[in-house]
Amino acid sequence: MAESMKGLHRSHRCTEVSNSEIGQQVTVMGWVQKRRNLGSLIFIDLRDRSGLLQIVFDEPKVGKEGFAKAEALRSEFVIAVTGTVEKRTAAVNENLKTGDIEVIAEDIRILSESETPPFPIEENSQTKEDMRLRYRFLDLRRPDVQRNLMMKSKVSMLLRNFMEQEGFLEIETPILTKSTPEGARDYLVPSRVHPGTFYALPQSPQLFKQLLMCSGYDRYFQIARCFRDEDLRADRQPEFTQADMELSFVDVDDVIDVNERLLQYVFREAIGVDIELPIPRMTWQEAMDRYGSDKPDTRFGMELVNVSQVVKECGFGVFTGALENGGSVRGINAKGQGAMPRKKIDKLVEFAKGYGAKGLAYLAVNEDGTYKSSFAKFMTEEELKSLVEHMQGEPGDLLLFAADENKIVWDVLGALRLELAKELGLLDKNKYQFLWVTEFPLLEWSKEENRFMAMHHPFTMPMEEDWDKIDSDPGAVRAKAYDIVLNGTELGGGSVRIHQDDIQEKMLEVLGFTKERAYEQFGFLLNAFKYGVPPHAGLAYGVDRMVMLMMQCDSIRDVIAFPKVKDASCLLTEAPGTVDEKQLEELALSVQQIEEVQEEA
Ligand code: ASP
């Protein structure tokens, strides 16, 4: 029977009890982690979010009734214990914060009982994630998940502290809003009052934070929930949290300055990592050329080398063909991997194909200086030698080449570089390598849409020195956009915004918006720009990702209390779900037969 709290007050959390309480009476409450019954003594590991504390039940001390209750305890029962803290006489547990003390129970109440949980509540659970997510309320009791969520809370608080000190105002922006053109699909909410119309959930507070700058708030920030209806990948969630900011009267360097100090403060206070400032910067072009990625992991080398010039007249058609089509030939040097078995190389080739490569050319430099290669027969001795030299190939090295249009070559080698680093154990989890990537292209050609799209978003300021190319060579215009990258993960990104209505209108025209459509979608912003707008810029961090990296988790789900799985469903609540006919009627909606929808898909 569940007992009440009447007259009871918790004096300490489990691990707040320490040596300095020896001899004192304490009252602790929590969950039974483990019970050991030694006949005349019963030991309990009591758990709360702070950790474990050993409780000892000895019949003469706790009384007959109390001892009987202790005998009835099972895992996950919730109990309150009052007792005296003593130094442990035996079995000191060095791994436990409270490992050298115990509480000798004088009174116990069973606050609630528990059925046998479907899996043990323990650190580093071996239970399948699906099962854990279905019972997330139990999974959330596990110490590693609790640590993650506590860290998230701490990081939010640190962000708020810092922003407040720097003069930022925390201002909320709407969740029920209009579509923000951030590039992903919107989540829509039907309006009951205006049948046939929809709100969109914000992909980010972008337009509102720009409006706040127009309204003179000068420095805004928000820890904001954002929604994007994308196909989920490992580090994505349909809803996620951004630490979002916007500043007036600033340019790129000002934003970078505040954010470097913010990162330094948050990482130091949260996990004791000291970030050396300034954080290195690299242009987008350099990042692509050297690492094949706009979010390079700079914890290790294995950089890409452009060998187009070296092979442009060789006899290997795959190389020369790619160059004739305007592409490039680039390689990476997997140091010391020359003896990699053929089977493994074939696997790398398959891996490369997954990133769009037609194949992967390789050359191993044997210890005796001869070569083992997929293409040596098409090249002269001279050409091979020069190629190996360019790649700084030494005996024992494995050189891997991709030849194709630039984008594919970058993607393939960028991914291959990471894959090899993973395999070779080059990714040191205790290293925190930050990097700013700057000068992104303003636009990106979309093959599907057959038009240019904004690489960041349509409000990003082009670089002044490139603006004259907007008609003649739009793809060559760079933007005042920047990303902050940590160990190969994009931690945040932002840009200086366009604040001149003529540039904004031109930009929208290049993106294929008619004036009417632009005004229909975000006329409120364009109108605001007519009434005195300060130059402004901003940035947003993915808070979940930040905490994931701090806690060295593999998945973003580990730092979200109630995450969704790959198909965007929630295993705990079983959302999304169907709704009553009556609700649909009120919203003037009718749902197509599911089979019809599936047939069309
Ligand atoms: N709204 C942008 C994003 O979500 C960030 C920014 O430009 O401030 O990526």
Side-chain angles (χ1 to χ4, degrees):
M1 200 202 63
E3 296 179 84
S4 86
M5 283 276 294
K6 193 159 183 238
L8 262 194
H9 291 285
R10 178 170 68 175
S11 66
H12 296 77
R13 289 213 176 79
C14 286
T15 66
E16 284 166 4
V17 181
S18 70
N19 273 309
S20 46
E21 277 80 28
I22 286 176
Q24 286 178 25
Q25 196 183 54
V26 297
T27 297
V28 287
M29 302 182 188
W31 285 257
V32 173
Q33 175 75 25
K34 207 162 70 188
R35 191 194 63 155
R36 271 160 297 143
N37 196 339
L38 303 188
S40 64
L41 287 180
I42 294 172
F43 291 90
I44 295 285
D45 281 345
L46 186 69
R47 187 191 73 235
D48 65 15
R49 74 169 205 214
S50 75
L52 297 175
L53 175 64
Q54 177 161 289
I55 315 286
V56 185
F57 296 91
D58 184 12
E59 196 170 330
K61 301 259 171 61
V62 72
K64 212 171 160 82
E65 200 187 323
F67 198 76
K69 281 190 204 166
E71 278 183 314
L73 296 179
R74 298 283 176 274
S75 288
E76 301 311 310
F77 277 33
V78 181
I79 60 172
V81 173
T82 302
T84 303
V85 184
E86 284 192 6
K87 198 153 191 68
R88 278 200 207 185
T89 40
V92 169
N93 184 346
E94 308 226 316
N95 298 325
L96 222 56
K97 202 170 161 201
T98 56
D100 58 351
I101 51 169
E102 56 197 9
V103 171
I104 312 296
E106 284 140 22
D107 194 16
I108 169 174
R109 286 194 208 175
I110 296 180
L111 301 176
S112 94
E113 299 186 353
S114 168
E115 291 180 18
T116 307
F119 51 83
I121 310 301
E122 62 190 3
E123 196 129 340
N124 303 321
S125 175
Q126 297 300 313
T127 307
K128 282 226 168 66
E129 195 187 16
D130 274 13
M131 179 70 159
R132 289 193 284 109
L133 290 180
R134 207 162 297 138
Y135 291 91
R136 185 63 163 172
F137 49 89
L138 292 178
D139 192 40
L140 286 171
R141 290 182 188 176
R142 296 193 305 107
D144 35 356
V145 188
Q146 293 199 332
R147 273 199 301 273
N148 292 345
L149 295 189
M150 287 190 246
M151 178 56 80
K152 196 155 168 194
S153 166
K154 183 165 190 184
V155 167
S156 302
M157 187 208 67
L158 292 169
L159 287 165
R160 285 206 165 90
N161 273 354
F162 182 87
M163 297 314 263
E164 133 91 342
Q165 274 163 28
E166 295 280 328
F168 286 80
L169 301 171
E170 184 167 7
I171 302 175
E172 287 180 315
T173 54
I175 293 292
L176 294 176
T177 179
K178 258 185 117 159
S179 173
T180 19
E182 207 82 50
R185 211 174 283 122
D186 287 318
Y187 276 102
L188 298 176
V189 179
S191 157
R192 178 182 58 82
V193 182
H194 306 279
T197 64
F198 297 83
Y199 300 97
L201 303 183
Q203 293 186 31
S204 86
Q206 187 60 37
L207 300 182
F208 291 104
K209 66 176 177 172
Q210 291 195 239
L211 286 178
L212 289 170
M213 294 304 105
C214 295
S215 308
Y217 286 85
D218 198 79
R219 286 185 163 205
Y220 138 97
F221 99 97
Q222 183 179 194
I223 298 190
R225 195 69 68 86
C226 304
F227 306 84
R228 297 185 190 176
D229 186 3
E230 292 176 299
D231 294 327
L232 302 191
R233 281 180 267 138
D235 59 346
R236 296 262 163 118
Q237 281 282 310
E239 53 181 305
F240 56 96
T241 305
Q242 279 192 346
D244 190 41
M245 69 179 77
E246 196 75 9
L247 305 76
S248 286
F249 306 112
V250 292
D251 210 334
V252 177
D253 286 343
D254 304 293
V255 180
I256 287 188
D257 169 61
V258 176
N259 280 284
E260 290 194 342
R261 288 183 295 108
L262 175 147
L263 288 167
Q264 193 180 48
Y265 171 74
V266 173
F267 274 74
R268 190 199 298 129
E269 297 297 317
I271 54 167
V273 164
D274 256 308
I275 304 173
E276 203 186 309
L277 301 188
I279 291 170
R281 297 188 201 183
M282 191 180 283
T283 64
W284 177 88
Q285 188 65 52
E286 186 180 346
M288 298 311 286
D289 283 336
R290 288 176 57 189
Y291 298 97
S293 165
D294 58 4
K295 41 178 191 295
D297 192 330
T298 48
R299 281 176 296 175
F300 65 100
M302 218 193 286
E303 294 187 14
L304 277 59
V305 180
N306 190 342
V307 292
S308 304
Q309 286 306 317
V310 186
V311 298
K312 70 174 190 282
E313 273 154 18
C314 77
F316 186 31
V318 171
F319 285 177
T320 49
L323 295 174
E324 277 153 25
N325 289 330
S328 59
V329 183
R330 296 167 205 251
I332 52 175
N333 182 347
K335 282 259 154 236
Q337 294 304 305
M340 190 182 279
R342 185 58 206 268
K343 260 210 182 122
K344 233 173 147 188
I345 297 183
D346 288 344
K347 268 206 181 133
L348 292 181
V349 177
E350 281 316 303
F351 176 85
K353 284 183 180 163
Y355 285 83
K358 292 183 207 73
L360 198 61
Y362 71 88
L363 184 150
V365 188
N366 297 327
E367 292 298 341
D368 62 6
T370 60
Y371 306 131
K372 189 172 70 195
S373 166
S374 59
F375 58 86
K377 55 178 180 277
F378 302 107
M379 284 198 187
T380 65
E381 218 23 64
E382 232 11 39
E383 285 166 346
L384 285 170
K385 195 162 160 251
S386 148
L387 182 61
V388 171
E389 250 171 45
H390 253 85
M391 296 299 299
Q392 300 190 348
E394 289 168 332
D397 290 352
L398 175 66
L399 313 179
L400 298 159
F401 299 93
D404 216 309
E405 58 181 85
N406 280 332
K407 189 170 172 344
I408 294 181
V409 172
W410 282 327
D411 280 356
V412 167
L413 293 182
L416 202 59
R417 181 180 165 268
L418 281 181
E419 181 67 13
L420 282 165
K422 243 184 253 160
E423 256 179 53
L424 304 175
L426 303 180
L427 303 176
D428 181 355
K429 276 199 168 182
N430 295 315
K431 228 176 174 182
Y432 288 84
Q433 206 96 332
F434 287 85
L435 177 75
W436 287 107
V437 178
T438 61
E439 300 182 15
F440 276 76
L442 182 69
L443 304 161
E444 180 174 40
W445 182 255
S446 159
K447 277 185 188 163
E448 293 105 70
E449 304 232 354
N450 198 33
R451 68 173 177 94
F452 277 112
M453 313 266 282
M455 193 138 172
H456 188 51
H457 51 55
F459 314 105
T460 294
M461 179 79 103
M463 283 176 58
E464 284 92 356
E465 50 272 59
D466 292 349
W467 187 235
D468 57 351
K469 284 184 259 178
I470 192 66
D471 287 315
S472 57
D473 190 4
V477 178
R478 289 165 301 166
K480 288 192 168 185
Y482 33 78
D483 273 0
I484 179 76
V485 175
L486 169 56
N487 293 352
T489 299
E490 181 196 327
L491 205 58
S495 60
V496 174
R497 326 297 183 188
I498 299 169
H499 72 279
Q500 307 89 327
D501 53 1
D502 54 334
I503 298 185
Q504 187 65 70
E505 274 180 24
K506 179 75 199 175
M507 178 72 181
L508 291 171
E509 179 197 313
V510 174
L511 295 174
F513 280 89
T514 58
K515 214 167 180 165
E516 292 72 45
R517 219 183 101 228
Y519 269 85
E520 205 180 281
Q521 245 192 304
F522 33 83
F524 56 95
L525 182 77
L526 302 176
N527 278 333
F529 278 9
K530 294 182 184 146
Y531 294 92
V533 42
H536 56 290
L539 180 142
Y541 293 99
V543 178
D544 311 290
R545 268 193 219 173
M546 189 184 285
V547 177
M548 175 180 101
L549 292 171
M550 284 177 165
M551 298 307 279
Q552 307 187 346
C553 299
D554 297 322
S555 160
I556 210 161
R557 293 185 295 278
D558 297 340
V559 301
I560 295 177
F562 300 104
K564 310 237 175 354
V565 290
K566 267 231 157 73
D567 66 359
S569 66
C570 169
L571 297 180
L572 174 71
T573 61
E574 297 183 343
T578 52
V579 296
D580 288 348
E581 201 51 46
K582 184 162 170 281
Q583 281 176 295
L584 288 176
E585 254 167 49
E586 276 175 352
L587 295 167
L589 291 179
S590 77
V591 174
Q592 263 179 299
Q593 286 304 315
I594 303 303
E595 300 86 69
E596 274 176 42
V597 176
Q598 279 170 348
E599 256 166 45
E600 278 165 25

